[in-house]
Amino acid sequence: MLLAETTNQAISWNRYTATAAFLIASVLLLLWRAIRHRPVLSFLFVAALLFTGGLLLSIFGLPYVNEHFSTSLGDAMMIAAMLGLTVDYFLKERVLREVSGDVSKYLIGYRLPAEVQDRIRWLLQTEWIRRNFHVRCRLTEIDESRVSLEITISEEIQNITSEPSVYQDFLEFERHDPTSVIELRCDCEDPKARYRIAGPDLQPKEKPDDPGVMQVQGKKVKIPPVHEAIGRTYNFAVRYVVEYPSQYSESINFSHATINVILEADCPNTYLFTASDADISGHNRWEYRRLFLPGESITFRWRRL
């Protein structure tokens, strides 16, 4: 009778253990699926799982297995987790950084001048990519010698690093330019990133390191890496008005690597609007299907007929 009762208790205990193990494995699998596209969290998850498993082995051991073997295996798992979190991770990161900095420019720019190789290395460290850079210009005549140009620039910002980074949109212009900033905004599926700044909140300030240049800044937005931001786009826009002579030109300068640029103009028939050579051009529309590097620009001109 006692033997039967003991056997039933053992069977019940094994069922509870199997059920608990199944539930824990299911939770861990769901957690892994949720973070598998995030390298840092995935690495920490595996390291924590390895350490926890080793600790449990050291304390409870494995059934039907030699106790010394279970303890040794648990110690090895905990040591591996600690080494992975400390020495291995930082050592690999440093080696990768040094190798990419010292070797990559020679692999890509072999026999190029040192200045060109340094430029290649600098480009390899790019953090932000602009896509779908759209410039809309609406020209309104004030009188025969003056026009008002309302410019709206919208763009999609992508973080191509492996870690979340903070981005802050801005607009810069010369102090002597009669520029009025109307709004800065960010449109995104992430409610924490959305904002709109307009009216009295847009007060240009002179840059302390560049006298004579005025700057208006948007809010700081934390943007995840592009592989983690699937289904979310971070679209920034700025709208401003400038007064110019009836025959003049303006340039749009790129501060980040920019892919796919579209320029559109809305102006009276009494004005001729032209722009830099584009891949595709139509009536007051120019499309640039190429990469613009930081420091490059496109120029557009207008004149009264």
Side-chain angles (χ1 to χ4, degrees):
M1 185 70 178
L2 182 60
L3 179 61
E5 184 178 350
T6 303
T7 303
N8 291 333
Q9 290 178 352
I11 294 174
S12 299
W13 175 256
N14 289 335
R15 287 178 180 174
Y16 293 146
T17 303
T19 302
F22 176 77
L23 292 175
I24 293 173
S26 300
V27 172
L28 293 176
L29 180 60
L30 292 174
L31 183 59
W32 168 253
R33 288 175 60 87
I35 65 173
R36 58 184 176 143
H37 295 296
R38 307 178 68 176
V40 175
L41 287 181
S42 298
F43 173 75
L44 295 175
F45 174 77
V46 173
L49 190 62
L50 192 64
F51 183 86
T52 304
L55 183 62
L56 292 176
L57 279 178
S58 299
I59 297 175
F60 300 105
L62 287 172
Y64 314 112
V65 177
N66 183 274
E67 181 180 354
H68 178 70
F69 175 79
S70 298
T71 304
S72 300
L73 180 60
D75 292 342
M77 291 173 65
M78 288 189 291
I79 293 173
M82 294 301 297
L83 289 176
L85 285 171
T86 55
V87 179
D88 186 69
Y89 177 77
F90 293 106
L91 182 61
K92 287 182 178 178
E93 185 181 18
R94 180 176 178 179
V95 170
L96 180 62
R97 183 171 60 250
E98 292 181 353
V99 169
S100 62
D102 295 336
V103 178
S104 58
K105 66 175 184 178
Y106 299 107
L107 295 177
I108 299 175
Y110 179 65
R111 290 186 177 179
L112 290 175
E115 293 81 3
V116 179
Q117 293 179 359
D118 291 337
R119 176 70 168 176
I120 293 174
R121 180 171 60 180
W122 179 78
L123 289 173
L124 290 175
Q125 298 172 352
T126 298
E127 297 181 2
W128 303 104
I129 292 290
R130 280 173 165 171
R131 291 186 180 273
N132 304 320
F133 191 91
H134 202 159
V135 182
R136 300 175 182 86
C137 303
R138 186 174 66 181
L139 187 147
T140 304
E141 185 178 66
I142 300 175
D143 53 43
E144 292 186 357
S145 61
R146 303 287 296 176
V147 298
S148 171
L149 202 64
E150 181 180 309
I151 301 176
T152 302
I153 301 175
S154 60
E155 61 192 358
E156 177 186 345
I157 294 293
Q158 292 182 340
N159 175 10
I160 61 172
T161 67
S162 59
E163 298 290 338
S165 297
V166 175
Y167 179 82
Q168 187 174 26
D169 197 19
F170 65 90
L171 174 68
E172 293 180 354
F173 53 91
E174 297 292 335
R175 175 188 286 275
H176 55 76
D177 287 338
T179 302
S180 300
V181 184
I182 300 175
E183 69 171 347
L184 274 82
R185 72 176 189 268
C186 175
D187 300 319
C188 180
E189 294 82 358
D190 182 1
K192 296 181 179 179
R194 286 197 298 264
Y195 70 82
R196 182 180 182 271
I197 306 175
D201 295 330
L202 288 172
Q203 296 297 329
K205 297 181 180 180
E206 188 172 19
K207 295 182 65 177
D209 57 341
D210 196 358
V213 176
M214 308 300 291
Q215 185 182 70
V216 177
Q217 293 180 324
K219 294 183 179 180
K220 294 182 178 180
V221 176
K222 190 174 184 179
I223 301 180
V226 65
H227 64 274
E228 295 183 12
I230 299 175
R232 284 178 291 171
T233 56
Y234 293 81
N235 298 297
F236 293 83
V238 58
R239 183 159 59 101
Y240 60 99
V241 177
V242 193
E243 292 186 9
Y244 289 113
S246 59
Q247 181 172 335
Y248 206 66
S249 65
E250 178 63 289
S251 296
I252 300 294
N253 301 306
F254 300 101
S255 57
H256 300 290
T258 306
I259 302 173
N260 293 336
V261 176
I262 296 176
L263 169 64
E264 292 181 321
D266 178 13
C267 62
N269 295 330
T270 54
Y271 281 82
L272 176 65
F273 204 101
T274 60
S276 304
D277 292 337
D279 299 297
I280 300 177
S281 58
H283 178 65
N284 288 345
R285 189 180 189 276
W286 297 263
E287 185 172 349
Y288 304 85
R289 295 182 175 179
R290 59 177 182 265
L291 168 68
F292 288 90
L293 298 177
E296 295 184 335
S297 63
I298 57 173
T299 301
F300 51 91
R301 303 172 180 85
W302 62 90
R303 64 182 177 88
R304 197 171 191 274
L305 297 175

